[in-house]
Amino acid sequence: MNKLKTLMTAAVAASLSVTAFTAQARDFRLGLITPQPHIWTQEAEGFAETLAERSGGEHSVSIFPAQQLGNEAQMVQQLQAGSLDMAFLTLAEISNRIPDFGALYAPFLVEDIDQAAALLRSEAATDLLEAMPAQAGLVGVGYGMAGMRQILSRAPIETAEDLSGLKVRITPFDPIRDFYVATGAAPTPLPLPAVYDALANGQVDAIDMDYDSIRLIKFYEQADNLVIANHMMFPMVAVVSGRVWAQLDGEDRELIRSAMAEHADNVMTHFQEHHEAWGAELRQQDITVTEIGPDFFADAIADWEAIWAPKAPSLTRLRETAAELAD
Ligand code: 3HB
């Protein structure tokens, strides 16, 4: 009897240690919508290398760029179900679920790329991530960005009236939609991978986009008027599925959190370092460049504020922090 008990205990112990081993060594899957050469994808690959290195080869990460696993709405569902482990996302799906994130899209919240990066690195911004596990089923590990928003249009935009009725492509989420509705434009939500064709076939007249993607995806081939507005910053968030997170031990969580946050932050540094050069590169194309500031959008900004100040209470703290950072 005793012998049997010992044998059984040994068998249980053996099966437990196998389970413990398989629960630890993992091949994670990370999805994102950006194409291969985009810096988000490059840093996702960098994160995969760092994690493999720091885990002594125990963990690996397979990267699925260019919407291979579905659009962001589908990826968020997979993350919530635990069938996708990680993603680098725009805040579109998150801010549709947690309106307080809309505060990060306040028009002219920051003046330039460096202030945008500093704000996203501040506690005022990182504290917002704390709402994600309970309200979105995702663990927000850190921010990256895609620089500042500009407008590229087929016809010249010289006055605010030129925006009236213009079909402007936007990333599909509410804060950016409300801004363009307030300008009198007709915002058309399209995810990044669908934008080139929509511009080429005339489905949209203009696009809301950042310098890097304008040059990388060569949108200027299809629309040759660039309005440099820097009207919004555009955060990226590095996330882990809440379900997957719950299966990880403390050590793995820390390993993943720190490596992922570092590479997300590298994305921001990259945008800071290249902002000027990319602006210069675009000016050298055969396109017309106009620079505008907040005055151009004055009425739209007030309308946006009226909608979002009540929905996004963090706006006050983010504004205060932005003002401190500008000093
Ligand atoms: C976008 O315009 O929706 C977008 C741009 C990026 C990266 C991701 C999304 O550069």
Side-chain angles (χ1 to χ4, degrees):
M1 188 62 194
N2 258 354
K3 203 171 168 193
L4 183 63
K5 206 171 167 187
T6 315
L7 272 177
M8 279 176 63
T9 315
V12 169
S15 78
L16 274 181
S17 73
V18 169
T19 324
F21 178 74
T22 49
Q24 270 169 20
R26 295 191 57 156
D27 180 27
F28 296 104
R29 296 158 81 237
L30 185 153
L32 66 177
I33 61 166
T34 48
Q36 180 70 27
H38 194 282
I39 186 66
W40 291 12
T41 314
Q42 298 299 309
E43 286 298 333
E45 282 166 1
F47 159 65
E49 272 171 40
T50 303
L51 189 66
E53 232 168 70
R54 291 191 192 158
S55 66
E58 194 174 315
H59 298 317
S60 55
V61 187
S62 302
I63 309 295
F64 296 88
Q67 215 162 261
Q68 277 172 39
L69 301 178
N71 61 29
E72 288 198 339
Q74 291 161 330
M75 282 197 277
V76 166
Q77 281 173 3
Q78 294 163 24
L79 288 158
Q80 289 172 331
S83 58
L84 176 62
D85 302 301
M86 301 162 172
F88 281 2
L89 299 171
T90 71
L91 279 175
E93 288 302 313
I94 317 292
S95 62
N96 286 343
R97 287 173 172 77
I98 312 174
D100 206 13
F101 274 94
L104 294 168
Y105 298 95
F108 300 97
L109 176 61
V110 293
E111 275 171 28
D112 57 33
I113 192 91
D114 291 326
Q115 202 187 353
L119 187 60
L120 288 171
R121 288 174 176 135
S122 74
E123 257 182 46
T126 50
D127 280 356
L128 274 168
L129 299 174
E130 284 169 20
M132 283 179 58
Q135 292 182 52
L138 307 175
V139 176
V141 165
Y143 292 108
M145 61 149 78
M148 308 292 290
R149 304 311 280 182
Q150 322 297 353
I151 305 170
L152 187 73
S153 60
R154 245 196 298 271
I157 297 175
E158 277 149 9
T159 66
E161 285 72 50
D162 292 334
L163 282 171
S164 180
L166 204 69
K167 278 182 273 161
V168 183
R169 172 274 166 175
I170 55 159
T171 310
F173 66 111
D174 297 349
I176 219 163
R177 183 207 57 203
D178 291 341
F179 175 70
Y180 278 102
V181 167
T183 66
T188 308
L190 288 170
L192 182 65
V195 179
Y196 191 91
D197 287 350
L199 194 58
N201 68 26
Q203 190 190 341
V204 294
D205 308 312
I207 63 173
D208 179 275
M209 190 53 67
D210 61 273
Y211 278 165
D212 188 27
S213 285
I214 293 174
R215 56 180 273 285
L216 207 61
I217 308 175
K218 296 195 165 50
F219 290 120
Y220 55 77
E221 291 173 346
Q222 300 298 336
D224 55 7
N225 294 277
L226 174 65
V227 179
I228 299 183
N230 292 309
H231 51 288
M232 274 176 201
M233 58 179 193
F234 198 80
M236 175 201 99
V237 66
V239 303
V240 178
S241 150
R243 288 198 179 204
V244 171
W245 192 255
Q247 296 160 8
L248 300 172
D249 64 23
E251 203 180 319
D252 278 347
R253 284 183 185 175
E254 192 38 43
L255 203 60
I256 291 168
R257 183 194 287 284
S258 56
M260 220 177 176
E262 262 171 56
H263 285 278
D265 195 84
N266 287 349
V267 172
M268 286 207 272
T269 308
H270 187 85
F271 274 95
Q272 285 179 274
E273 286 174 356
H274 291 83
H275 182 82
E276 285 296 324
W278 287 337
E281 187 185 321
L282 289 174
R283 284 168 200 271
Q284 277 168 11
Q285 302 301 324
D286 192 15
I287 59 176
T288 307
V289 175
T290 317
E291 289 190 48
I292 60 170
D295 293 350
F296 187 93
F297 296 113
D299 295 343
I301 295 172
D303 290 355
W304 189 93
E305 188 81 20
I307 301 170
W308 281 91
K311 283 206 242 185
S314 292
L315 187 53
T316 311
R317 186 172 168 213
L318 284 167
R319 278 239 166 80
E320 283 164 10
T321 308
E324 284 162 23
L325 291 167
D327 291 343

